[in-house]
Amino acid sequence: HANYERFLLVILTLFAFAIRTYKIGNDSRVVWDETHFGRFASNYINRRFYLDVHPPLGKLLITLVFWLSGYSGSFDFASGEHYPASVPYVQVRCFQAAVGSLLAPSTFYLCRTLGFPLGAAWVAAILVVVDNALIGISRIIVLDPMLLLANSLLVIAFSRVLSASSGRPASVLLRFVWLGILAAVVCR
């Protein structure tokens, strides 16, 4: 039964990824906040200092995907401007879509961890897969999918720490360590 459940979750996650990547490269213009996060990536790649009040983890992950895709940091990311061939925006958008797709299984596990019935967990996961706002935000280069996934994982970890057996202090300590790491990630 558990293997069948995992299999269905994998299928649901792949379906979520397919929805989020469908024609993802059709709009070759800089959209909305891609202006900011593209510029942050260019600054990191070119090792230019800039002042940002937010912690850098999400922007560093976006930069890593740009860098691994061969981006040189030479594009200005002006809003509405078309991406040149030298900017691997489709690869970075696909990374965002993959992160957004992981919201489906994390929602399922969150519901199960909180004690929801199996049917309710499936409904919640399916709703996350087809939610238009989550699909849209997972198709562009922004921090929201990463933040939502990290928050979901944090709540799962927190609820598991609270339900941990008091007879195993090492297990509880390890869970608090993971909780701390996830809390740091959520703070981006």
Side-chain angles (χ1 to χ4, degrees):
H1 186 266
N3 286 336
Y4 182 68
E5 192 173 280
R6 284 188 199 110
F7 173 74
L8 289 178
L9 269 176
V10 168
I11 297 299
L12 187 65
T13 305
L14 291 174
F15 181 63
F17 185 71
I19 289 172
R20 282 157 176 75
T21 56
Y22 179 71
K23 295 185 177 184
I24 200 165
N26 275 7
D27 189 2
S28 65
R29 291 174 293 168
V30 177
V31 180
W32 192 40
D33 274 356
E34 287 183 336
T35 283
H36 305 295
F37 299 111
R39 285 183 186 156
F40 292 143
S42 290
N43 285 332
Y44 278 121
I45 288 171
N46 292 317
R47 299 178 184 198
R48 281 191 302 249
F49 174 78
Y50 68 95
L51 182 62
D52 185 17
V53 296
H54 303 291
L57 180 60
K59 289 171 276 215
L60 285 171
L61 289 173
I62 290 170
T63 302
L64 177 64
V65 177
F66 267 120
W67 181 73
L68 289 173
S69 300
Y71 175 58
S72 66
S74 58
F75 184 59
D76 186 39
F77 289 92
S79 187
E81 191 174 328
H82 284 273
Y83 284 109
S86 62
V87 179
Y89 72 97
V90 174
Q91 290 88 327
V92 182
R93 285 181 179 174
C94 284
F95 169 74
Q96 295 293 97
V99 172
S101 300
L102 293 175
L103 288 170
S106 72
T107 299
F108 177 84
Y109 285 120
L110 175 61
C111 290
R112 294 302 289 156
T113 301
L114 294 175
F116 287 31
L118 184 61
W122 279 113
V123 167
I126 290 168
L127 289 175
V128 164
V129 169
V130 298
D131 181 84
N132 197 39
L134 292 175
I135 292 170
I137 205 74
S138 297
R139 291 175 56 85
I140 58 175
I141 305 167
V142 292
L143 297 180
D144 300 61
M146 290 180 269
L147 183 61
L148 290 169
L149 181 62
N151 279 318
S152 176
L153 295 174
L154 178 66
V155 174
I156 291 169
F158 185 69
S159 62
R160 288 192 177 185
V161 165
L162 290 179
S163 66
S165 170
S166 61
R168 298 183 312 201
S171 173
V172 173
L173 178 63
L174 182 60
R175 289 179 185 194
F176 272 111
V177 167
W178 276 112
L179 184 63
I181 292 169
L182 282 170
V185 168
V186 167
C187 294
R188 347 182 226 144

